[in-house]
């Protein structure tokens, strides 16, 4: 152990990152499977499974462990290379020349972009795997081909989604930060002080409050900026997690919609699975039979 201590620490770091990325990949595929189950149900009120998320989790664990592990391994290798570069940069701090410093900066930037791109590719690959059950490489190839064939539409949707999600997270963070300021410094503190003075001036009311809920004591702190900073950071993290679910739903429904538009034509034999509102926005519609009813069998494509 003493001889191989450094190697074991590196192995622990590698396995830790791999485990974290695997759990994140599992959550993404589970959400993708649940959203895809809803999209590929022809009648949304009847054909959606009773427990879509539980079913998607079971399918992911039962059939797609290898896909999840392989996708997580790719991200882990990139992250380990980035950590090695940071380690080299810390060791050469103040000793490298301008050229070496520039090369390290370029490599760090390229690896950061590579990690972001691979995470985006993995995300789309997990969606295709959740729909059709393909392995990782085939899913990534199918997803990239689908997005490249609709490059302009994908660019617009990605930009709008990023802006809306960013505005949402920023709004939640600012709102909770303002509320924490109002509690520690602003009108809420004044109201609490007035309530405290009212209770102190009225012995009967003070006895009633003490008997009911206990003595009302406002905590005193020397510095309020630390809890405010923790509230702001915590609210941003929680908002990011919640909006991440919405982002996954948008990507899944978008991939399903593109696949739907390529495989179906709206005829009674091959109707679209999209909702009426979505088809209306995209200028699509399902044709009807001679009897005036929509055709097509109620199919379910999610594997």
């Amino acid at each position: 152990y003493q001889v191989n201590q450094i190697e074991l620490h590196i192995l622990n770091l590698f396995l830790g990152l791999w485990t974290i990325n695997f759990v994140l990949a599992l959550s993404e595929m589970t959400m993708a499977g649940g959203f895809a189950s809803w999209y590929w149900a022809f009648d949304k009120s009847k054909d959606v499974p009773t427990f879509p998320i539980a079913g998607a989790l079971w399918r992911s664990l039962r059939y797609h462990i290898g896909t999840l592990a392989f996708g997580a391994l790719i991200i882990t290798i990139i992250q380990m290379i980035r950590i090695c570069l940071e380690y080299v940069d810390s060791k050469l701090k103040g000793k490298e020349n301008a050229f070496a410093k520039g090369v390290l900066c370029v490599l760090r930037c390229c690896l950061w972009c590579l990690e972001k791109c691979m995470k985006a590719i993995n995300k789309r690959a997990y969606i295709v795997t959740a729909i059709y059950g393909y392995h990782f490489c085939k899913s990534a190839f199918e997803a990239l081909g689908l997005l490249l064939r609709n490059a302009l539409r994908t660019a617009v949707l990605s930009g709008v989604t990023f802006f809306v999600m960013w505005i949402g997270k920023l709004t939640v963070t600012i709102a909770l930060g303002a509320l924490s300021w109002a509690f520690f410094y602003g009108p809420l503190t004044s109201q609490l002080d007035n309530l405290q003075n009212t209770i102190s001036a009225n012995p009967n009311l003070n006895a009633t409050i003490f008997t009911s809920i206990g003595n009302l004591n406002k905590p005193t702190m020397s510095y309020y900026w630390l809890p405010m900073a923790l509230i702001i950071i915590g609210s941003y993290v929680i908002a990011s997690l919640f909006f991440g679910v919405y982002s996954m739903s948008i990507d899944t429904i978008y991939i399903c919609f593109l696949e739907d538009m390529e495989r179906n034509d709206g005829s009674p034999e091959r109707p679209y699975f999209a909702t009426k509102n979505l088809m209306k926005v995209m200028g699509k519609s399902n044709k009807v039979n001679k009897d005036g009813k929509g055709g097509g069998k109620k199919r379910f494509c999610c594997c």
Side-chain angles (χ1 to χ4, degrees):
Y1 174 79
Q2 295 293 336
V3 174
N4 302 311
Q5 187 174 8
I6 297 179
E7 290 81 358
L8 290 175
H9 283 313
I10 295 175
L11 180 62
N12 284 333
L13 176 62
F14 181 84
L15 294 178
L17 291 174
W18 196 0
T19 302
I20 293 173
N21 291 316
F22 179 85
V23 173
L24 293 176
L26 178 62
S27 65
E28 288 181 348
M29 185 175 289
T30 301
M31 288 188 290
F35 296 131
S37 341
W38 173 84
Y39 184 94
W40 292 110
F42 190 80
D43 188 347
K44 311 299 184 187
S45 61
K46 298 179 181 179
D47 297 340
V48 178
T50 306
F51 301 103
I53 298 298
L57 178 61
W58 165 249
R59 290 192 299 271
S60 301
L61 293 175
R62 176 64 177 83
Y63 300 105
H64 306 307
I65 288 290
T67 297
L68 296 173
F70 185 72
L73 177 63
I74 295 175
I75 302 298
T76 303
I77 293 174
I78 297 175
Q79 290 176 344
M80 287 296 297
I81 297 175
R82 291 186 63 193
I83 292 174
C84 291
L85 279 179
E86 294 295 335
Y87 177 77
V88 172
D89 183 62
S90 65
K91 288 296 183 181
L92 297 178
K93 186 69 67 176
K95 299 179 182 178
E96 74 277 11
N97 54 31
F99 177 77
K101 188 174 181 180
V103 170
L104 282 176
C105 184
V106 170
L107 288 176
R108 290 162 65 185
C109 181
C110 291
L111 286 172
W112 180 84
C113 294
L114 178 62
E115 182 181 350
K116 293 295 182 182
C117 291
M118 283 307 306
K119 284 183 177 180
I121 293 173
N122 285 9
K123 188 176 182 180
R124 275 69 178 183
Y126 298 148
I127 294 172
V128 175
T129 299
I131 297 173
Y132 292 114
Y134 299 152
H135 56 79
F136 179 84
C137 295
K138 185 175 182 179
S139 297
F141 179 80
E142 292 289 337
L144 284 177
L146 197 61
L147 295 177
L148 290 176
R149 289 192 295 272
N150 300 271
L152 182 60
R153 185 182 294 173
T154 301
V156 173
L157 180 67
S158 299
V160 172
T161 302
F162 174 80
F163 179 75
V164 172
M165 295 297 170
W166 182 78
I167 289 295
K169 290 185 285 189
L170 187 64
T171 302
V172 172
T173 304
I174 292 177
L176 289 177
L179 186 62
S180 64
W181 171 85
F183 179 79
F184 290 118
Y185 290 105
L188 288 181
T189 300
S190 301
Q191 294 298 325
L192 287 176
D193 291 336
N194 293 334
L195 180 59
Q196 180 68 48
N197 295 332
T198 303
I199 293 174
S200 301
N202 193 333
N204 295 329
L205 182 61
N206 191 9
T208 304
I209 294 293
F210 183 78
T211 304
S212 305
I213 60 174
N215 193 14
L216 180 62
N217 291 321
K218 187 179 65 175
T220 57
M221 291 183 290
S222 301
Y223 301 98
Y224 290 110
W225 58 267
L226 181 58
M228 287 180 59
L230 292 176
I231 290 172
I232 292 173
I233 295 173
S235 61
Y236 179 80
V237 172
I238 295 174
S240 299
L241 294 176
F242 275 88
F243 279 100
V245 177
Y246 285 102
S247 177
M248 193 68 196
S249 67
I250 292 173
D251 290 337
T252 302
I253 293 174
Y254 178 63
I255 293 290
C256 292
F257 173 77
L258 295 181
E259 190 71 19
D260 191 13
M261 295 300 108
E262 290 195 355
R263 293 183 175 269
N264 302 308
D265 56 7
S267 63
E269 293 77 18
R270 294 164 58 193
Y272 295 126
F273 285 81
T275 60
K276 293 182 179 180
N277 291 333
L278 183 57
M279 286 190 290
K280 184 178 179 180
V281 170
M282 304 307 298
K284 304 289 184 179
S285 62
N286 282 328
K287 301 176 184 178
V288 296
N289 291 322
K290 296 180 179 180
D291 56 1
K293 298 181 180 180
K297 296 181 180 180
K298 297 179 180 179
R299 296 173 291 171
F300 180 72
C301 300
C302 186
C303 297

